[in-house]
Amino acid sequence: MPPLALDDLYRLAVPGDPQLRPDGGAVAYTLTTADRDSDEPVTEIWLAAPGAEPRRLAKGIAPRWSPDGGTLAFLRPVDGAPQIHLLPMDGGEPVQLTQAKLGAGIPVWSPDGTRIAYGGPHGTVDPNAPVVVDTLEYKADGAGLLREITTHLFVVPVGGGETLQLTEGDFHAGQPTWSPDGRQLAFTASLDSDRDLVIGGEVYAVEATGSEPKRLTGPEVICIGAWWLGDRLVIAGLKGGPEGHTRLFTLEGDRLAELETGLDRNVMMGAPGYPGATPQLLGGDLVFAARDGGCSHLYRLPGVASGQAEKIVGGERVVAGASVAAGRIAYVAATPESAGEVYLDGLALTSYALPDVELFVPRRRTFTAPDGTQVEGFILRDENLTEPGPLLLDVHGGPHNAWAPVFDGVHLYHQVLAARGWTVLMINPRASDGYGEAFYTATKGAWGISDQDDFLAPLDRLVAEGIADPDRLAITGYSYGGYMTCWLTSHTGRFKAAIPGGIVSDLHSMVGTSDLGYFMKKHECAGDLQAQSPITFVDQVTTPTLILHGENDDRCPVGQAEQWFEALRERQVPVRLVRYPGGSHLFILNGRPSHRHHYNERILAWLEQWVSGSPS
């Protein structure tokens, strides 16, 4: 079979957001593909069941079952704004339920199935009005300038009627969760006036008929998610500050009690680029996701009480969504052979792996940094190779993300390079997720300083083993990976080509321009910003550099790329800047397919030009 080609981007189908029907007999899920004609990602809702071929239900996202399983609520755009629709499962077309001016959020059914709650944007938007801000909380990557828009909670009757707004004010309400009796909704929010300066979050409750929000938790935990599971309110939060692992708590009276799991691992609730699943009840036990060794796995905690969590979905898999009902569990997971499949009690209900493509499988390796720290990595290469060859070091983002040994439908150039005789090295350096909290927080205030040898030592090892040719080394990375690409090329001349994407080059200017800049200054990079900034050492760079950046990136603003480009050009280092119109920080995950294809294509061309010797 042939190896993967970049055009296979348009054949990939990636499932997500699995929702198990209340009787446990079928799974609704989303399926995302890249449409070449419209140059847009397309997401549809499908249904899979044992013994049947998956079938398409509707175009949309966020499928959610009614308590009786007879209706599927989901989101579909109407005039550019997402609205909740209801699909009767006994036949018929979807019916629009909401008519929210700025759109609705993910539907959350009431326990009796008569109402749906959602969080949605509220306010007025005049794109031509001056933007007046008093706090740092005025923009967000992917959304841009927030203007006067805040997120609040609404309840709409399923049978029709007036939509009731439950919250209002200058704050953002998190995803709602119904109390078992259907009388209240809980949500997370920070109502403090200085919330842009002091990171916080509490759990609030509001009556389903409307009332002032009542605060349920105090400042000892930064609450970032809450779910009523049975008669228990389970909360995800950060204890002691915003830098460490996410943990699980329950509300007992007026205090939070931590649910000890016996794991030194980070709870993963699921977000773009950070796969996981929300906590749920399986029988009387708590099911949750946590990252272990780069993979997101599912665990069961008996009795929703402190104890030793048991891993129930593990191995070389990355879980990206789970749902429980009727004593069964459905989940989506990526494997070394597939970017994602839908499973029910461990049985695959789908087959989205490309059947006519031979994939190279990442292999785990452990390396030792000079200070004795063990760092894990993954090597992708043709195992039939016997001579030293070119090697690409790829650095993940975060830095609190992690590479995993599964098929990567985003970084397609990995497979193409392996087919061309390259070795791709993916290291999980200190600060990566899945190796304990001390490892997770090890680079605080010391970006580049404490972690650079975690990359250089593995390179030395692979050169010594005869795997990598020391004269044909290259480096790339995105976000933090873009930062580290700039950092390493300003501290060593051993790389023949560099491709930083979504970069950070100057932490000083980053602080005042990024939507998370103040957080970076106070917490992640607390300390000497100049000493941690690649721009401080740019006069030492000689590596030919290709910079790839989204034009509308508010996380790592495009000015970071402009600064690096200008500095290298002034010093006459071979450099090229590619900007992607409309691209947010996550455009390489969910942006225009043509941009994602071009991103991969540019990397391959730059490596061919500067490492393999072919003209660009």
Side-chain angles (χ1 to χ4, degrees):
M1 291 189 293
L4 186 96
L6 292 189
D7 272 0
D8 286 326
L9 168 70
Y10 296 101
R11 298 201 297 143
L12 289 175
V14 182
D17 197 8
Q19 298 294 317
L20 186 56
R21 197 169 61 197
D23 66 3
V27 184
Y29 61 96
T30 60
L31 191 67
T32 300
T33 56
D35 184 70
R36 191 190 297 266
D37 293 335
S38 66
D39 196 21
E40 295 286 350
V42 175
T43 302
E44 299 175 322
I45 298 171
W46 284 62
L47 187 73
E53 286 294 315
R55 62 186 178 95
R56 178 187 179 277
L57 295 180
K59 185 175 181 180
I61 62 172
R64 296 294 185 269
W65 292 102
S66 61
D68 64 2
T71 304
L72 194 66
F74 65 95
L75 290 173
R76 172 189 286 178
V78 178
D79 297 327
Q83 303 292 350
I84 296 174
H85 289 68
L86 301 178
L87 177 65
M89 297 307 295
D90 58 359
E93 294 297 315
V95 176
Q96 182 177 339
L97 177 65
T98 60
Q99 299 185 31
K101 181 178 179 181
L102 300 180
I106 296 173
V108 184
W109 289 87
S110 64
D112 63 4
T114 63
R115 295 160 294 170
I116 289 178
Y118 65 90
H122 174 68
T124 58
V125 177
D126 179 356
N128 300 313
V131 179
V132 180
V133 298
D134 299 301
T135 71
L136 301 177
E137 192 182 55
Y138 65 90
K139 66 178 179 178
D141 186 65
L145 294 173
L146 300 180
R147 299 180 183 270
E148 302 298 323
I149 303 301
T150 50
T151 302
H152 285 288
L153 302 189
F154 302 82
V155 170
V156 56
V158 171
E162 290 290 325
T163 297
L164 177 63
Q165 182 174 342
L166 298 183
T167 62
E168 61 180 344
D170 183 22
F171 67 93
H172 297 280
Q175 179 77 352
T177 179
W178 289 90
S179 63
D181 59 11
R183 294 181 179 180
Q184 291 183 309
L185 290 137
F187 62 96
T188 57
S190 176
L191 273 60
D192 297 330
S193 60
D194 62 349
R195 64 180 177 272
D196 60 325
L197 300 177
V198 180
I199 296 174
E202 291 82 34
V203 177
Y204 290 83
V206 64
E207 297 295 323
T209 54
S211 68
E212 284 295 315
K214 176 185 177 182
R215 191 168 72 175
L216 303 181
T217 63
E220 68 276 8
V221 172
I222 300 172
C223 301
I224 56 179
W227 304 268
W228 247 304
L229 303 179
D231 59 356
R232 306 287 293 275
L233 191 60
V234 175
I235 296 162
L238 299 157
K239 187 177 181 180
E243 301 96 351
H245 279 170
T246 298
R247 305 165 186 267
L248 294 174
F249 303 83
T250 59
L251 189 63
E252 298 184 355
D254 58 354
R255 73 176 189 89
L256 285 176
E258 183 174 352
L259 287 172
E260 299 288 352
T261 64
L263 308 172
D264 183 13
R265 291 294 182 264
N266 193 35
V267 173
M268 302 291 288
M269 296 176 294
Y274 292 81
T278 58
Q280 298 173 65
L281 277 184
L282 180 62
D285 299 337
L286 183 67
V287 172
F288 64 96
R291 186 121 68 173
D292 184 34
C295 293
S296 292
H297 290 153
L298 290 179
Y299 295 81
R300 173 167 29 200
L301 187 63
V304 198
S306 293
Q308 181 62 52
E310 170 197 5
K311 185 179 290 188
I312 56 175
V313 177
E316 305 291 52
R317 298 185 189 184
V318 172
V319 173
S323 177
V324 299
R328 310 186 76 179
I329 182 165
Y331 58 91
V332 164
T335 69
E337 297 79 28
S338 172
E341 304 293 350
V342 180
Y343 296 86
L344 179 58
D345 291 339
L347 172 68
L349 302 182
T350 62
S351 181
Y352 291 118
L354 298 177
D356 53 352
V357 170
E358 183 176 6
L359 296 176
F360 297 92
V361 176
R363 303 298 183 190
R364 288 184 184 265
R365 281 287 304 268
T366 300
F367 302 92
T368 304
D371 66 355
T373 299
Q374 299 289 299
V375 294
E376 192 172 53
F378 303 96
I379 295 175
L380 189 76
R381 73 192 305 259
D382 185 342
E383 296 184 357
N384 294 317
L385 296 175
T386 57
E387 298 295 322
L391 179 143
L392 176 68
L393 169 63
D394 202 338
V395 186
H396 67 64
H400 306 301
N401 214 325
W403 293 113
V406 298
F407 171 60
D408 188 335
V410 174
H411 305 86
L412 299 180
Y413 57 86
H414 287 179
Q415 292 287 331
V416 176
L417 287 173
R420 294 181 181 180
W422 282 68
T423 295
V424 179
L425 174 62
M426 297 161 279
I427 294 294
N428 285 340
R430 62 196 81 190
S432 298
D433 195 4
Y435 302 93
E437 191 165 36
F439 195 86
Y440 186 90
T441 58
T443 62
K444 179 181 178 181
W447 277 30
I449 299 166
S450 65
D451 44 1
Q452 75 169 16
D453 286 339
D454 293 353
F455 300 100
L456 298 181
L459 283 180
D460 291 338
R461 183 73 235 164
L462 296 185
V463 167
E465 292 176 2
I467 291 175
D469 181 347
D471 294 324
R472 290 187 287 171
L473 302 178
I475 182 171
T476 190
Y478 193 82
S479 193
Y480 163 80
Y483 163 89
M484 187 52 69
T485 299
C486 296
W487 178 272
L488 287 176
T489 55
S490 66
H491 284 75
T492 175
R494 69 193 303 177
F495 296 105
K496 304 305 178 185
I499 307 133
I503 75 171
V504 177
S505 60
D506 182 357
L507 288 169
H508 277 292
S509 59
M510 176 88 164
V511 167
T513 56
S514 167
D515 65 342
L516 291 183
Y518 187 76
F519 171 84
M520 298 284 292
K521 174 184 177 180
K522 294 291 290 185
H523 300 284
E524 189 63 47
C525 296
D528 189 340
L529 297 183
Q530 183 175 355
Q532 297 173 77
S533 294
I535 202 75
T536 303
F537 311 98
V538 71
D539 59 344
Q540 301 178 45
V541 178
T542 59
T543 307
T545 301
L546 170 67
I547 306 166
L548 306 171
H549 214 103
E551 194 72 39
N552 290 7
D553 191 335
D554 281 317
R555 184 63 39 85
C556 301
V558 71
Q560 295 292 308
E562 293 172 327
Q563 285 181 261
W564 198 246
F565 175 74
E566 185 278 334
L568 295 189
R569 179 63 186 134
E570 179 183 3
R571 290 159 178 79
Q572 298 189 47
V573 176
V575 63
R576 180 175 295 161
L577 172 61
V578 180
R579 303 164 69 133
Y580 293 89
S584 71
H585 193 59
L586 296 181
F587 85 92
I588 65 168
L589 298 180
N590 54 26
R592 289 187 177 278
S594 65
H595 287 177
R596 294 166 53 202
H597 188 284
H598 186 268
Y599 188 96
N600 282 266
E601 192 174 39
R602 281 286 178 174
I603 290 175
L604 295 173
W606 196 256
L607 295 177
E608 286 294 323
Q609 179 180 358
W610 293 102
V611 181
S612 300
S614 301
S616 176

